[in-house]
Amino acid sequence: MNRSVLPRPDLERPALLDVHNVSRLYGPDKGCQEINFRLHAGEVLGIVGESGSGKSTLLRVLAGLEAPDAGHVAYHSANDDTLDLYAISEARRRALLRLEWGLIHQNPRDGLRMGVSAGANIGERLMALGQRHYGQLRAAGQDWMGQVELDPGRIDDAPRTFSGGMQQRLQIARTLVTRPRLVFMDEPTGGLDVSVQARLLDMIRTLVRQLGLSVVLVTHDLAVARLLSHRLLVMRRSRVVEAGLTDQILDDPQHAYTQLLVSSVLTP
Amino acid sequence: MNALLTVENLHKGFVLHGQGGTALEVMHDLSLELRAGECLVLAGRSGIGKSTLLKMLYGNYLARRGSIRLHFSDGPLELTDLPAHAWHPLRRDVIGYVSQFLRVVPRVSAVEVVMEPLLARGADAWDARTKAETLLSRLNLPERLWQLPPGTFSGGEQQRVNIARGFIGEHPLLLLDEPTASLDAANRAEVVALIHEAKARGTAMLGIFHDEDVRSQVADRLLPLDDHLMAKTTHFPGQPS
Amino acid sequence: MNGYNFAYLDEQTKRMIRRALLKAVAIPGYQVPFGGREMPMPYGWGTGGMQLTASILGSDDVLKVIDQGADDTTNAVSIRAFFQRVAGVETTTATTSASVIQTRHRIPEAALSHGQILVFQVPIPEPLRFIEPSEQETRLMHALEEYGVMHVKLYEDIARYGHIATTYAYPVKVDDRYVMDPSPIPKFDNPKLHMNEALMLFGAGREKRLYAIPPYTRVESLDFEDHPFEIQAWDECCALCGSETSYLDEVITDDAGNRMFVCSDTDYCMTRRGEVA
């Protein structure tokens, strides 16, 4: 074989999250069980499946909100420590969620403080980190409102005066303002009008690229999964039935359930 | 020139679980070698599934058997067992793909769709925009369309956006799935020019061209596939046909 | 004495509350739960403060009770009379001669001295309650020092009014650890919490929580670097004693809109007037 001149690209990226045999069951096949995967830095991992398949339970376990019955989740933190998510103290776990992670809820009302202004919502995580300069907090708020395509002039308006899509963008700004390394998203575009959804998807994609975020994304919408995620896990009745490159899962599904799921999608 | 891609004894089948586990064999014992700066054109009856090979090389389809190897300066890389997470950087830096259909986020403007492969590598946004605009104007896409999302464009306009997006990244290996299918003569000539420029850069290309005229202008070699591909008798669920 | 145990509460209860108070003193600003008893008055009238007072009172103590700084309002008069009757202790209105001072919504103007105890009546002990309704969650937030939300409230004030508009129950951080609600005292009194010589005890009857600031404890009012904590100021001085440094109440004097500003601390005002006279 002749020598090629093509330099090999760096295909490996550092691991961020290692999930070993995680199970959390509420009943037989209700919840998630025997889940194994590794999430790499800069990767968007989609978890798809119908409602009740255990996606959201898995997300809660991964995000440190619900201890698994068995197995463990290892997080490789910014300072190169490997933390067993459920062996560390709750204080440490919550600090992670506050400092290095972000969680975006399907319903923005679950992730926002509806009683306080948009600016205060964006500033909260910064204040929790010890930022004590009002002018700087406000500047950060306006900057982030611009980044998520909200009018910075509305910084003092309460989230309830915003539309659903705007609230979701506000929740994203509030979460990303501290530049988390890892973001968990639970159906981030669910419940939004299709036109609003498209704009949000593009925004999420751009932010993921610009900030180099790693994302675990739960969605039942295969089109959303295709546009946002690099890799997919397909869940059914609490188990991962298929995992792989997003395009491969959707174009050449191997498992009977995945084939059914893919063939059930309506395409206009 | 040296081989950049080697395919050996590739087989592909689908098992249709929805239809009682029907097994379809669509590719049989395919081998090829592709060198840098070469354009290899897939030849064969229409409708036998030539895109199958491109999709396997791009990771969209899993191989049943056989080997796909990319040759790097420090040795070969086997793609049939490449872990899923490695495909993303591989596609970003090495393998480009001009698909038949444009699949993009709705409401993203044409110029941004074209810029994206460069932005994914962390390129400067202004440079990326300049390059995208240069390509779009070469492909005669009216400037008034650049800032509009391509969702509502005509087939030919969408295809030109797609071509610009495929060529902007200057990947060392480029897969071309009927890039000239719905273009007029002037734009076909432009695509031929783009392919010639890519060859000069050392890009290895593997393409499907239905247009006899284009094929004769770009092909260095033809790869006869009639003995290796079988048309899928059943439409596979979820597949754009 | 009147058929009641000394200071109304039974000895077991007083011991229980004293134990809780010792814990509170040991962990400044931390809310200690205690087994609150029914007092012969409704919640909201100072039952928390009264239980603390009853537990620490000795027969040789001298008790002063104030309500918004005044010794002569209904609440102050009733509580003073109550302890006179059930404990037989000496009472006073003079801040300097009292050993125990129960207060609602003020800290006396006269500097307190070592050995004095100030007992506050507290309606809502939890400073995080406005943003987090769950008790379990607020306890966790205290345990983990998750206090970012306190500044959210101050941020909102500035965004809405241009300055921190919280004027009473202004949150403080005690000994650089616990965020604490100082009870609804005016923020004017917050600086007096810092390094005070007296022991300060806080009792919430309805919520059955008590907490403490031991003498000489650092107490810091929360603020922003570019919007530092400030106390109220008046253009007028006290119309009665002429004080320019005390906390003033606005008193409407007629239907024509005339008004005057007077010291809210009646003892302080009377003492000054006596000195002037």
Side-chain angles (χ1 to χ4, degrees):
Chain A
M1 186 61 63
N2 290 320
R3 298 277 298 164
S4 163
V5 291
L6 191 58
R8 180 185 298 263
D10 186 9
L11 301 179
E12 284 309 316
R13 279 186 257 179
L16 211 59
L17 208 58
D18 272 306
V19 181
H20 300 286
N21 266 319
V22 159
S23 294
R24 174 77 184 97
L25 290 176
Y26 307 102
D29 295 345
K30 288 268 174 258
C32 60
Q33 59 184 322
E34 292 168 30
I35 311 288
N36 289 284
F37 69 87
R38 166 175 280 189
L39 179 77
H40 302 81
E43 212 177 12
V44 180
L45 178 77
I47 303 175
V48 298
E50 60 199 7
S51 16
S53 57
K55 313 183 289 286
S56 296
T57 305
L58 177 57
L59 192 79
R60 288 181 60 76
V61 172
L62 298 179
L65 302 175
E66 193 164 321
D69 305 327
H72 60 272
V73 180
Y75 170 66
H76 306 283
S77 75
N79 55 9
D80 271 347
D81 280 347
T82 295
L83 307 171
D84 182 339
L85 201 51
Y86 291 96
I88 57 175
S89 67
E90 182 168 18
R92 190 86 190 272
R93 199 157 55 235
R94 280 173 67 124
L96 268 187
L97 198 52
R98 210 165 59 228
L99 307 178
E100 296 191 20
W101 295 4
L103 178 60
I104 291 170
H105 301 261
Q106 170 174 9
N107 188 339
R109 287 183 287 283
D110 295 337
L112 290 173
R113 289 195 192 280
M114 299 304 283
V116 302
S117 67
N121 268 287
I122 298 176
E124 181 174 342
R125 272 167 74 105
L126 292 172
M127 292 185 241
L129 291 182
Q131 169 64 266
R132 292 289 178 265
H133 193 283
Y134 175 79
Q136 287 166 13
L137 286 163
R138 207 162 167 78
Q142 282 166 333
D143 175 44
W144 269 94
M145 288 188 76
Q147 289 208 45
V148 297
E149 299 169 27
L150 293 171
D151 174 10
R154 296 195 60 185
I155 188 167
D156 295 330
D157 292 356
R160 70 169 57 86
T161 66
F162 290 17
S163 70
M166 290 163 76
Q167 287 178 3
Q168 193 56 293
R169 279 179 273 148
L170 184 61
Q171 188 190 192
I172 289 170
R174 166 185 162 90
T175 308
L176 299 188
V177 64
T178 53
R179 304 272 172 139
R181 301 173 75 213
L182 173 58
V183 179
F184 299 95
M185 301 186 183
D186 190 358
E187 305 271 11
T189 60
L192 296 178
D193 289 345
V194 185
S195 58
V196 177
Q197 210 180 39
R199 190 158 158 210
L200 191 65
L201 283 173
D202 175 48
M203 208 192 73
I204 292 175
R205 221 155 83 137
T206 305
L207 289 171
V208 164
R209 187 183 65 223
Q210 285 175 347
L211 305 177
L213 298 178
S214 306
V215 179
V216 178
L217 165 79
V218 158
T219 180
H220 69 277
D221 187 333
L222 294 184
V224 168
R226 167 92 85 174
L227 288 172
L228 290 183
S229 32
H230 304 138
R231 278 199 297 143
L232 284 186
L233 302 180
V234 183
M235 288 190 72
R236 183 193 186 218
R237 292 191 194 149
S238 75
R239 293 171 200 272
V240 171
V241 295
E242 189 165 353
L245 186 67
T246 299
D247 285 340
Q248 181 259 305
I249 298 281
L250 298 179
D251 289 348
D252 187 12
Q254 306 292 305
H255 191 274
Y257 174 71
T258 318
Q259 291 189 358
L260 180 71
L261 201 66
V262 170
S263 63
S264 309
V265 173
L266 297 174
T267 31
Chain B
M1 289 300 273
N2 309 316
L4 193 130
L5 172 75
T6 312
V7 173
E8 281 174 352
N9 311 112
L10 204 57
H11 292 253
K12 175 63 191 166
F14 293 106
V15 177
L16 305 184
H17 293 283
Q19 296 169 25
T22 312
L24 289 178
E25 192 179 26
V26 297
M27 181 187 291
H28 173 75
D29 204 25
L30 178 83
S31 299
L32 70 90
E33 199 174 81
L34 182 66
R35 293 155 191 275
E38 182 183 40
C39 181
L40 181 61
V41 172
L42 310 185
R45 298 186 307 276
S46 76
I48 58 169
K50 290 187 284 285
S51 319
T52 304
L53 176 60
L54 300 188
K55 286 182 175 166
M56 291 172 79
L57 296 177
Y58 201 57
N60 285 36
Y61 284 179
L62 293 175
R64 176 184 286 176
R65 225 167 55 236
S67 142
I68 302 169
R69 285 195 305 276
L70 273 177
H71 300 284
F72 291 110
S73 51
D74 59 347
L77 176 74
E78 177 63 54
L79 299 191
T80 52
D81 55 8
L82 193 66
H85 69 264
W87 275 102
H88 181 59
L90 191 68
R91 287 169 163 197
R92 193 188 63 198
D93 296 334
V94 182
I95 309 179
Y97 187 47
V98 180
S99 60
Q100 266 177 289
F101 304 99
L102 186 63
R103 178 144 44 208
V104 289
V105 181
R107 302 186 58 159
V108 177
S109 72
V111 68
E112 282 171 332
V113 168
V114 176
M115 287 161 67
E116 202 178 352
L118 292 185
L119 295 179
R121 292 180 195 161
D124 177 75
W126 194 84
D127 288 346
R129 184 172 293 273
T130 310
K131 279 190 176 155
E133 290 177 352
T134 308
L135 272 167
L136 288 174
S137 74
R138 274 190 70 176
L139 289 160
N140 304 308
L141 192 78
E143 203 173 327
R144 64 187 160 79
L145 297 182
W146 294 358
Q147 298 305 329
L148 298 177
T152 54
F153 291 7
S154 72
E157 287 161 350
Q158 286 198 7
Q159 190 156 31
R160 280 177 275 160
V161 173
N162 215 10
I163 292 165
R165 177 183 165 92
F167 277 87
I168 198 171
E170 303 188 355
H171 293 86
L173 172 61
L174 199 51
L175 310 172
L176 305 167
D177 194 346
E178 300 195 36
T180 55
S182 41
L183 300 185
D184 59 24
N187 284 314
R188 275 205 300 276
E190 200 54 54
V191 174
V192 170
L194 282 171
I195 293 174
H196 283 302
E197 286 163 28
K199 272 193 208 177
R201 280 196 300 271
T203 305
M205 280 167 285
L206 201 63
I208 303 170
F209 298 92
H210 281 175
D211 187 288
E212 202 64 58
D213 179 43
V214 173
R215 196 188 311 179
S216 63
Q217 289 185 64
V218 301
D220 295 301
R221 283 190 291 135
L222 292 180
L223 181 70
L225 291 173
D226 283 339
D227 298 338
H228 301 282
L229 291 180
M230 281 66 76
K232 281 183 275 179
T233 47
T234 319
H235 174 67
F236 185 72
Q239 292 301 304
S241 46
Chain C
M1 196 186 304
N2 297 323
Y4 289 108
N5 189 36
F6 177 76
Y8 186 75
L9 291 175
D10 62 276
E11 292 304 308
Q12 291 283 22
T13 299
K14 287 194 278 187
R15 264 203 290 277
M16 174 268 293
I17 291 175
R18 281 179 213 136
R19 276 195 293 268
L21 283 170
L22 285 175
K23 182 170 180 179
V25 168
I27 317 171
Y30 173 74
Q31 297 167 51
V32 185
F34 71 101
R37 298 289 184 259
E38 292 286 331
M39 297 302 279
M41 62 198 302
Y43 288 131
W45 286 69
T47 54
M50 280 175 73
Q51 289 178 79
L52 264 52
T53 301
S55 306
I56 58 171
L57 219 48
S59 52
D60 53 355
D61 270 317
V62 180
L63 178 68
K64 170 181 163 79
V65 183
I66 51 174
D67 173 5
Q68 311 243 33
D71 296 271
D72 53 3
T73 55
T74 313
N75 192 257
V77 170
S78 319
I79 294 175
R80 192 162 56 233
F82 176 79
F83 280 113
Q84 248 167 351
R85 191 164 152 215
V86 299
V89 292
E90 188 188 333
T91 60
T92 179
T93 57
T95 301
T96 44
S97 44
S99 58
V100 175
I101 304 170
Q102 182 170 331
T103 174
R104 173 175 176 267
H105 303 187
R106 266 322 299 278
I107 296 176
E109 303 290 356
L112 299 173
S113 58
H114 188 72
Q116 286 185 302
I117 301 177
L118 194 57
V119 178
F120 293 77
Q121 301 170 197
V122 180
I124 300 166
E126 180 51 74
L128 300 168
R129 183 67 68 234
F130 74 99
I131 205 122
E132 179 51 62
S134 156
E135 173 70 18
Q136 197 183 350
E137 183 65 19
T138 53
R139 289 184 154 221
L140 204 56
M141 289 164 83
H142 281 295
L144 304 179
E145 285 187 77
E146 285 183 7
Y147 290 140
V149 290
M150 292 310 301
H151 279 84
V152 169
K153 184 168 187 251
L154 301 181
Y155 174 100
E156 275 303 269
D157 269 4
I158 304 174
R160 206 169 293 171
Y161 308 107
H163 59 96
I164 298 175
T166 303
T167 53
Y168 64 94
Y170 192 104
V172 294
K173 198 165 202 182
V174 180
D175 199 26
D176 212 22
R177 175 60 183 84
Y178 284 97
V179 164
M180 191 196 90
D181 184 333
S183 87
I185 58 172
K187 68 177 176 179
F188 180 89
D189 285 341
N190 271 25
K192 297 177 193 161
L193 298 167
H194 178 64
M195 299 304 272
N196 200 311
E197 290 183 28
L199 168 63
M200 291 181 277
L201 306 176
F202 299 78
R206 192 192 331 249
E207 308 256 346
K208 301 178 175 56
R209 293 284 183 280
L210 57 82
Y211 47 100
I213 302 177
Y216 309 107
T217 302
R218 284 172 295 145
V219 179
E220 178 197 353
S221 301
L222 304 182
D223 62 1
F224 286 105
E225 288 160 15
D226 47 346
H227 284 267
F229 173 79
E230 283 171 351
I231 60 172
Q232 293 101 326
W234 290 264
D235 295 334
E236 291 83 356
C237 57
C238 172
L240 301 178
C241 77
S243 170
E244 291 169 344
T245 55
S246 68
Y247 186 81
L248 300 181
D249 284 338
E250 184 179 355
V251 181
I252 307 292
T253 49
D254 58 26
D255 289 345
N258 285 316
R259 56 199 181 149
M260 61 195 265
F261 287 88
V262 296
C263 290
S264 99
D265 185 337
T266 50
D267 174 60
Y268 173 81
C269 198
M270 303 277 268
T271 308
R272 279 180 54 88
R273 276 185 274 164
E275 280 168 2
V276 171

